[in-house]
Amino acid sequence: MPFFRFEDFQSNYLTPHLSTGKAPVIEGKYMYFCLLHKNAGTGSELHYHPNELLIFPIRGKINAIVGKDRRIVSPGTFVHAPAYARHSMRATEDGNLQYLYIKDKTWTVVGLAEDEAVPDKAMTVDEVNRKYNVGDRDKHKKTEGESQAVIEGLHTCFYPIIDTLDAPRASARRVNWIEGERLAFGFFEVPAGCDEPQMKAEREMFFYILGGRLQAQAGDESKILGAGDIVYVPRGETYRLQAKSPFARYTLVCSTPYLENRIDSMSAEEAEQARVNMKAN
């Protein structure tokens, strides 16, 4: 089925010994698509992971660090953390936090302490939750060796896109596109009547509807969607989204050729080390 809502999935702590973040996880073949929840004043310790990370806040504010750059991030600003970049995301004291959280599948969603070496075998979400409760940082036995966390030379990782998610509509179709090494992010504002043709997906894609109503077609299935709805489109499948309200906003995340080639060429041993499942949900 190509249509989902995060409420349909079980929510789990992703790295409980380092973060209060809890999320349902939808797996594609090449990426993890999640909605992370953090209570006011809580969040993650400084950490890193071998996969690239995309963040787009939906509600609340993030006290965010990527490398050495610290900023307060509100809905409407996109955050990019390259693979191995040291980072921390904490909810500010004035409210709970939710943000779209997308990682490539060259590693699990479980993070590593900033001063920890990459282990020979990643932990899965189930394993890390069986081993740790939230806040069990002192119980974690770090992998010995040199950390691969990147702190210097990350350049600007924060991308303001729109003032607020309920800002006045644009006068025309507008797209903001940000492409990393492994994952790409698009923010779309689409007026009714804009001709969105049926396309064949060159990359694996997840759409998340922010506002308005859209007629979505993915493969042979079609559905009217609203805020919070998700469309999953595997690589090679046909799709089409058309605004059925006066105006609609949505995000799109997709894989890149680099990521697809890297995962498609993984040996069985490499896949086992990264603990990745190559099949989508």
Side-chain angles (χ1 to χ4, degrees):
M1 184 181 75
F3 305 115
F4 303 99
R5 292 186 64 88
F6 281 118
E7 302 94 288
D8 300 332
F9 293 81
Q10 181 178 343
S11 188
N12 292 295
Y13 294 103
L14 303 187
T15 310
H17 57 298
L18 297 176
S19 175
T20 61
K22 191 174 186 180
V25 179
I26 303 175
E27 290 193 38
K29 181 178 179 182
Y30 300 107
M31 62 183 125
Y32 302 104
F33 190 67
C34 318
L35 182 66
L36 205 67
H37 303 250
K38 292 177 179 177
N39 291 333
T42 74
S44 60
E45 305 293 335
L46 286 165
H47 68 287
Y48 74 105
H49 30 74
N51 30 20
E52 189 172 46
L53 169 63
L54 312 183
I55 286 174
F56 190 70
I58 301 300
R59 58 179 54 89
K61 296 179 182 178
I62 311 175
N63 188 341
I65 301 172
V66 182
K68 289 185 173 181
D69 193 353
R70 180 193 292 269
R71 305 193 187 191
I72 301 298
V73 178
S74 299
T77 293
F78 170 79
V79 184
H80 174 237
Y84 297 97
R86 185 189 73 165
H87 60 280
S88 169
M89 303 290 151
R90 301 185 67 85
T92 58
E93 297 286 349
D94 53 348
N96 295 340
L97 173 65
Q98 284 187 329
Y99 55 85
L100 295 177
Y101 174 98
I102 303 97
K103 279 183 174 177
D104 72 77
K105 287 184 69 173
T106 59
W107 195 256
T108 67
V109 295
V110 180
L112 308 171
E114 64 169 327
D115 55 353
E116 178 179 10
V118 176
D120 292 334
K121 195 172 189 179
M123 294 184 73
T124 67
V125 169
D126 286 344
E127 288 171 343
V128 79
N129 277 277
R130 285 197 297 268
K131 189 171 184 179
Y132 301 114
N133 294 315
V134 174
D136 281 350
R137 186 176 184 182
D138 293 339
K139 295 181 181 180
H140 174 54
K141 185 177 180 181
K142 298 173 185 175
T143 305
E144 296 182 1
E146 185 176 354
S147 168
Q148 295 184 44
V150 176
I151 301 172
E152 305 284 353
L154 290 170
H155 309 294
T156 299
C157 295
F158 299 89
Y159 298 78
I161 293 175
I162 192 170
D163 291 339
T164 65
L165 296 185
D166 59 355
R169 57 173 287 184
S171 63
R173 184 180 187 271
R174 180 168 81 97
V175 178
N176 290 72
W177 190 254
I178 301 162
E179 188 161 335
E181 177 186 58
R182 309 176 188 190
L183 298 169
F185 174 89
F187 177 88
F188 290 75
E189 296 183 284
V190 181
C194 182
D195 185 19
E196 298 282 346
Q198 179 172 287
M199 304 280 286
K200 185 175 182 179
E202 295 183 358
R203 312 267 76 89
E204 179 177 65
M205 312 165 85
F206 282 96
F207 294 88
Y208 182 83
I209 313 306
L210 296 168
R213 295 172 63 251
L214 293 112
Q215 178 77 47
Q217 176 253 318
D220 296 328
E221 298 190 48
S222 181
K223 189 175 182 180
I224 295 289
L225 304 180
D229 283 319
I230 299 161
V231 186
Y232 171 63
V233 183
R235 186 175 62 175
E237 187 62 270
T238 58
Y239 70 96
R240 186 180 192 184
L241 268 69
Q242 292 183 295
K244 293 300 180 183
S245 54
F247 188 67
R249 287 189 173 113
Y250 59 89
T251 65
L252 160 66
V253 294
C254 70
S255 54
T256 65
Y258 171 89
L259 174 63
E260 293 164 2
N261 180 67
R262 181 164 173 177
I263 288 182
D264 289 344
S265 62
M266 267 187 174
S267 67
E269 292 76 16
E270 289 170 329
E272 176 59 22
Q273 180 192 18
R275 309 302 296 281
V276 297
N277 168 27
M278 300 304 184
K279 295 182 180 180
N281 278 124

